[in-house]
Amino acid sequence: MTEETNHKTYKLGLALSGGGAKGFAHIGVFKLLEECGLKPDIIVGTSVGSLMGALFADGYTSDEIKELFTGREFSEFAQLQIPKSGLFDSKRFRYFLRRHLRAKTFEELKTPLVVMATDLDNGESHEFRNGPIVEAVTASCSIPIIFSPVVINGVHYVDGGLFHNFPVSIIREECERVIGVNVSPLVPQKYKQTIFHIAERSYHYMFRANTLEDREMCDVLIEAEEFGIYKTFDLENVDEIAGIGYAAAIRAFEVVIKENKYETLVNAIMARRNNALMP
């Protein structure tokens, strides 16, 4: 079997969905990619996917990213405010990004990154590919009502998940292969009748609806129903969620091996297995 050659800009793309704390599953996927020696040539992310993607593109290892979030509390990233444009202010989140991101602009990242946000003023999706990173990632993570919009060049931006929670389509035509990680399955569970939890649940329905076509565009789709049992702002189970992501990635890669779809991916995965790293 030979690899298709279609002269795309990038050989391997990685698309990371939004999903709040469920996005710690991306860390587990990064871990498996590292073990297989697979390095994405471009990363696109929405919301927490943009956060995890920015750190990975900045050269952080999966273990280093996990360490950044282990033992932290939600209050370290957001401060409750008198509701005006959002329940929480994101200044602390910006501080976290400025403190830990080595690159300050997209151009300085080790791996090209696309961050998805929503232009609230004009009602359209927006791609950030250059310029300052911190404001773009903060905008992508700003769930409406819960967080205040982020103003960039006079435009108000909020969570990119309103249009592209799983942004595979954004890089599909640029890449020969795309690995997609969708951490936002919607599973039935009880939720509190508060403005916070009703807003959270409503956005989950919206995000799920706009991921259906993108799921079909992946060459390798990584997702698991277990992601759905964790709440959006659950910072107490970083290791467990990352572990679920790792296990889901292994299952997805084993499908690739079984179907012998893509030579480059199969060779990398088989090399890992031959080195006795595969559980």
Side-chain angles (χ1 to χ4, degrees):
M1 172 178 155
T2 58
E3 190 82 33
E4 292 182 10
T5 55
N6 46 17
H7 306 293
K8 300 286 188 179
T9 304
Y10 304 104
K11 288 185 178 298
L12 181 62
L14 179 63
L16 308 173
S17 83
K22 294 184 283 291
F24 292 131
H26 294 316
I27 299 173
V29 176
F30 299 162
K31 181 72 171 177
L32 188 60
L33 292 177
E34 290 167 346
E35 292 177 354
C36 291
L38 288 172
K39 186 179 184 300
D41 300 298
I42 186 171
I43 300 170
V44 60
T46 294
S47 198
V48 69
S50 74
L51 170 60
M52 296 295 147
L55 291 167
F56 200 45
D58 198 31
Y60 279 86
T61 67
S62 57
D63 287 340
E64 289 171 338
I65 296 173
K66 185 163 65 174
E67 181 65 26
L68 286 178
F69 295 95
T70 300
R72 291 184 177 272
E73 297 181 356
F74 178 67
S75 60
E76 296 181 57
F77 299 97
Q79 183 175 14
L80 189 65
Q81 62 182 359
I82 298 174
K84 182 179 179 182
S85 56
L87 296 175
F88 294 92
D89 183 272
S90 55
K91 288 180 181 177
R92 293 178 181 176
F93 181 65
R94 288 186 179 90
Y95 174 75
F96 171 85
L97 291 175
R98 293 193 182 101
R99 180 181 176 187
H100 292 290
L101 282 174
R102 300 149 182 154
K104 304 306 176 187
T105 66
F106 283 82
E107 292 82 355
E108 296 173 50
L109 291 168
K110 297 180 183 297
T111 303
L113 175 70
V114 184
V115 168
M116 301 306 301
T118 298
D119 177 340
L120 191 61
D121 298 338
N122 298 295
E124 58 189 20
S125 183
H126 184 85
E127 302 174 21
F128 287 99
R129 292 178 180 249
N130 50 56
I133 302 171
V134 170
E135 293 301 302
V137 172
T138 304
S140 183
C141 293
S142 295
I143 302 173
I145 299 176
I146 295 176
F147 293 102
S148 299
V150 176
V151 181
I152 302 175
N153 296 326
V155 178
H156 295 78
Y157 292 97
V158 293
D159 196 316
L162 270 65
F163 287 102
H164 289 289
N165 195 54
F166 190 26
V168 181
S169 60
I170 302 302
I171 60 169
R172 178 64 273 184
E173 294 304 313
E174 301 175 58
C175 302
E176 292 180 13
R177 304 294 178 209
V178 176
I179 296 173
V181 190
N182 177 29
V183 301
S184 289
L186 190 66
V187 296
Q189 57 181 265
K190 293 181 179 180
Y191 62 96
K192 298 178 182 179
Q193 295 295 316
T194 66
I195 186 173
F196 181 90
H197 290 93
I198 291 173
E200 177 187 24
R201 189 67 174 170
S202 298
Y203 289 124
H204 280 181
Y205 282 117
M206 185 187 305
F207 296 162
R208 183 192 187 192
N210 70 41
T211 65
L212 299 178
E213 291 185 5
D214 291 86
R215 291 176 73 258
E216 300 300 319
M217 296 181 186
C218 298
D219 294 300
V220 181
L221 173 62
I222 300 172
E223 59 182 5
E225 288 188 4
E226 298 98 305
F227 297 150
I229 67 176
Y230 295 95
K231 297 188 179 300
T232 300
F233 302 106
D234 182 352
L235 297 182
E236 297 179 359
N237 295 288
V238 176
D239 195 60
E240 290 85 347
I241 299 171
I244 293 173
Y246 183 82
I250 287 178
R251 290 195 298 270
F253 278 22
E254 286 180 337
V255 170
V256 173
I257 294 173
K258 181 178 179 181
E259 297 181 357
N260 199 32
K261 282 185 175 180
Y262 314 120
E263 187 176 13
T264 300
L265 291 177
V266 169
N267 289 343
I269 300 165
M270 290 302 292
R272 176 182 183 275
R273 172 171 283 175
N274 292 337
N275 288 331
L277 291 175
M278 185 76 79

